[in-house]
Amino acid sequence: MRFKAANVTAIIVALISCPAAAQEVRVLALFEGKALLAVDNGKPRTVRVGETYAGVKLISANSEEAVVSVSGKRQRLKLGEGIYSTATLPSGNATVTLNSDPRGHFVTTGTINGASMSFLVDTGATMVSMGIEDARRAGVNYLEGTRGHSQTANGVTPVYRVKLSNVKLGDITLNDVDGVVHEKSSFPVVLLGMSFLGQLEMRREGNSLTLTKRY
């Protein structure tokens, strides 16, 4: 079968102009009427209901979940959940699967600079956050970090932004991770924030959360 030149040109233009379906969609934050989405390897963006970002349309959003449409298919996603194609999941990379506690929290153990820590997975935290005692146990010289202040439930507290030489969770190890030390706040656990989680693939299914190292 032969195609006329005009038809071939039209087909090529259609293929070029048709955006590829998103391979990875993650919900990083939820608000009433909008959500912070990460699509493929692009920069996270706050999307309002009715808007489309990188081929992903936000249908609805509240503090509990977001409904998105990808290639005409609707998906309900809670905070930290994502949609992944098999092509985007790393093969043979380090993976850890966590199970939620009765409150729906993912609490586990790991290490910072070789020191054992209790971690709470917190996608709402920008960085790995800890109290002063955990920082001392991990040998973090926070006084050499960048000083600032943070508003907490107990008021304004001094904080220090630091670099964590090594953060390990199961078989996943990351180096030079951004962290923050709260000088006057008592943290029962270390908040495992997005400076660590943002470098991983996150897939939530029911009560389990699977973390996979990207590279």
Side-chain angles (χ1 to χ4, degrees):
M1 181 182 294
R2 293 185 179 181
F3 292 95
K4 293 182 179 180
N7 290 339
V8 174
T9 301
I11 293 171
I12 294 174
V13 169
L15 290 173
I16 293 174
S17 61
C18 181
Q23 298 295 302
E24 172 190 352
V25 182
R26 289 184 293 146
V27 177
L28 303 182
L30 286 169
F31 313 94
E32 194 66 38
K34 57 185 178 180
L36 180 63
L37 303 180
V39 181
D40 294 335
N41 293 318
K43 183 179 179 180
R45 174 176 164 180
T46 299
V47 181
R48 296 182 181 277
V49 169
E51 291 183 342
T52 299
Y53 170 50
V56 179
K57 184 176 182 179
L58 183 62
I59 304 300
S60 65
N62 54 41
S63 60
E64 299 295 327
E65 67 175 16
V67 177
V68 299
S69 176
V70 182
S71 299
K73 183 178 180 181
R74 294 193 177 192
Q75 298 274 1
R76 293 181 179 273
L77 299 173
K78 295 185 182 298
L79 186 65
E81 290 185 333
I83 306 168
Y84 306 92
S85 75
T86 55
T88 62
L89 294 177
S91 176
N93 286 16
T95 298
V96 173
T97 298
L98 308 176
N99 294 315
S100 63
D101 64 17
R103 296 176 297 172
H105 298 154
F106 293 95
V107 180
T108 185
T109 57
T111 64
I112 295 178
N113 299 346
S116 180
M117 299 285 169
S118 293
F119 289 142
L120 169 64
V121 174
D122 187 356
T123 56
T126 304
M127 291 179 280
V128 176
S129 303
M130 69 187 74
I132 191 171
E133 294 302 323
D134 282 333
R136 287 172 175 168
R137 288 196 304 107
V140 178
N141 189 356
Y142 62 91
L143 293 176
E144 292 187 352
T146 303
R147 196 171 190 271
H149 294 85
S150 176
Q151 180 68 48
T152 68
N154 297 322
V156 178
T157 180
V159 296
Y160 298 85
R161 183 167 178 171
V162 298
K163 280 287 186 181
L164 305 174
S165 300
N166 179 282
V167 179
K168 184 175 182 180
L169 176 61
D171 292 331
I172 298 174
T173 301
L174 298 180
N175 299 319
D176 296 325
V177 178
D178 287 329
V180 63
V181 177
H182 292 250
E183 187 178 40
K184 295 183 179 180
S185 294
S186 177
F187 278 42
V189 294
V190 174
L191 301 182
L192 203 59
M194 293 306 296
S195 59
F196 182 87
L197 298 173
Q199 301 183 59
L200 311 176
E201 301 284 358
M202 295 188 290
R203 175 189 286 179
R204 181 168 179 174
E205 296 179 353
N207 295 325
S208 68
L209 176 66
T210 299
L211 306 174
T212 303
K213 191 174 181 181
R214 290 179 183 272
Y215 308 106

